[in-house]
Each structure stands twice: as structure tokens, then as C-alpha cells.
Amino acid sequence: MIASGKGPSYDTAGIGETGQRQAAAQVDPLAGLRGPGDPPWDVYLTGTVFLDIIFTGLASAPVRGTESWARGMGSSPGGVANMATALARLGLKTSLAAAFGSDHYGEYCWDALAQGEGIDLSLSRTVSGWHSPVTVSMAYEGERTMVSHGHEPPPEEPAPDCPPRARAAVASLVPGRRAPWIAQAASKGTRIFGDVGWDETGEWDLAGLADLEHCEAFLPNAEEAMRYTGTSCPREAAHALTAHVPVAVVTLGAEGAYAVDRRTGEAAEVPAIAVEALDPTGAGDVFVAGFVTGTLAGWPLADRLAFAGLTAALSVQEFGGSLSAPGWSEIGAWWRKVQSVAGQDPTALHRYGFLADLVPAEQARPWPLRRAVPTIGFRRSA
């Protein structure tokens, strides 16, 4: 197990019950650090919210000219909502600024995030006449194929000119483009964690990631890190990145993750946890959420890496992005289960020993967990 004021109201019961179950066994990882002068939010996010529709149980990839039937289907908020949900389920006070469509999809996503997950949407808005971006994901054989549709976002930026005070913010860096809110947030003491997507320009120029100068940590995957640094080894790439950012974290896929902190000279590598991967959607967002949580809690670098890898591993055992983000109930159930399995490597168990003082005292439900998958929008009776 361990490897070396809106329109109609819709029933989001599947997600809402999940949120309630999480609250019942919630852990505040920052409890010992909170004080009267703290920022109102632990983490601030902005970005695009999609409606994700996930088809599961497909025997194979869809074949041209045929009709495929899926054994299961779920719906949930996606896009930046994956990260927001992952952070909220780990006990962080999360604020999201985003545009929501004025269609039923937008209403559903708003309710799911605000009511089901307890995410603050006071900086978000519903845009009249704009329909929600949609992604359809088909999961099969541990992989997924996605089809997305959406119009250009509304002209007003969902992020406010002056972002709120927050301990941290997660920013998706875009080559050749600055996001003014990042510098504004950093100037107020917000710790910026930067992630990045594939560089469609093919230039892979770190100078093009202008907002990297405001980041405390940068979390690319191995291929991205090597392309940006011109190196042939992801570990070498991580060290090269510390010339541009204090903390470099490079995810290594099935091998785990490697991180370097130039301020302390510390380096850490943690192997991946061996799990049956059903759907990798959102695993990268969950990893970042875990690392941010550990950083804000002041954990050692290796513990942060181990926790991020664990949360990502738990997420790939479930379908969907925000649907699969684990909370403390899942983390606690996993920790108790692995300790009860004979033949575990004592060194590997020791690596996760820091969880003993964090997880809920009682096991709320058995492991492995199969989270209930909601379908969209049963209208509530008045």
C-alpha cells in the first residue's frame, strides 16, 4: 500500500452530504497558528469554473460511428473549483473569485461550492447571458479523454483590483502574460504558489513567466521543469529553478516528487504511494492543495511532500476532479488502514507518522471509500 439570492435552488445532495461529512470530522491544520490579526482567508484563488460531467465505467475508448453506454455518471464543479474544493476539504478558509454563468449549470456550481464545500464566493459574480463552460470527461482503463466547450469569458476580470488579505494564493502562470493581482497580493504579504500548464508557444522561456518573481514556490511537473530549465533530469531541473524561486517542487508521476528550498539548502524526495488509479483528473490540483496546507502549517519539507503525494494518491482512486478531493476523513481512514496491514515497511510507515496527531480520533467510515457521485440538479420542493 505504501511504495519505497439567485434563481431556482437545486439539490446538490451528493456534494452537500460530502461537505457535511467532512465538517463532522474536520481538522484545522492551522489551529495552533491562528490569532486575532490574521487575514480573513487562508487561501485566495481566481480562475474559470467549469461544469464537469464525468462518464465512468466505460469498457473502452469511444469508437467512431458507435454509441457507448457508461455504467455511471457524475457532475461537479471543475476548473479552478477543483483546487478550491481540495483546499476547503483540508480545512483551509478558501476564497474564490470567479465568473459563473447565469444558466442552470452556473447555479448548480455556485450552490455546490458555497453550500456543499463552504467556499467563500463573496468576490464571485453571476454574469447575465453567459453560459457556463463545460467539460465532458470519459474515464476508462485508468485514463480519461475530455471534450470542453465555452465562450470567451466576460470582459470584466473576476479577480478584484485589490485581492483580499490572505495567507496564500495559488496562481496559474501564463507565458508572456502578467496577472496584476499576483503582484498586488504579494505586496500585502500573501505567499504565492505558482503552477503552470503546457507552453503552447513551444518557447519554454522562464523569462516569459514574469509573475514567477512574486512566487514563494513553483510546482511544475517533471517534463515542464526540464523544458523550462533545459536539463535532462527532473532533480537537476528543480535545483536550477531555485535560481528563480525560493522553493521548487517537481512532481515525478509514479516516482513521487522532489523539492528543493534554496533558503535552507534542504532537498527532499518522497516516493509515490502505490494505488489503483481510476481517474487522474484533478490530481495535480490536489497535490498543490496538500503542499500549500503543509507549508502554511509550518511542516518540514519532506512532510509537505509526503502529504501532498498522499492526498493526490487518494484522489486518483475516485472519479472526477472536485468530486475526488479527499478530506480528513479519507486521510484518517487511510492512515488507520495501512497501520493494520501486515508486512508494511516500517520506514515507509514512519514517513507518514506525522499524521497521527492530525487525523480525526474516530474512523467515520471504512476504507477503501467509494464516494457517492451526485447527478445534477433535482429541483427542491418548496
Side-chain angles (χ1 to χ4, degrees), residues 356-381:
D357 296 327
L358 288 167
V359 297
E362 297 180 0
Q363 183 167 332
R365 47 188 186 255
W367 175 265
L369 171 70
R370 285 294 173 259
R371 189 189 297 280
V373 178
T375 54
I376 195 168
F378 294 112
R379 195 184 295 268
R380 293 194 187 106
S381 57

Side-chain angles (χ1 to χ4, degrees), residues 6 51 100-111 126 132:
K6 302 186 311 93
L51 172 74
F100 287 77
S102 58
D103 52 11
H104 295 330
Y105 291 167
E107 293 168 347
Y108 170 78
C109 288
W110 186 294
D111 285 348
T126 296
S132 303

Side-chain angles (χ1 to χ4, degrees), residues 1-43:
M1 224 176 252
I2 301 179
S4 337
K6 302 186 311 93
S9 181
Y10 291 89
D11 183 1
T12 54
I15 294 178
E17 289 169 7
T18 295
Q20 291 163 11
R21 288 194 299 264
Q22 297 296 343
Q26 188 58 280
V27 172
D28 181 0
L30 308 186
L33 302 175
R34 298 196 185 280
D38 287 349
W41 308 112
D42 295 327
V43 187

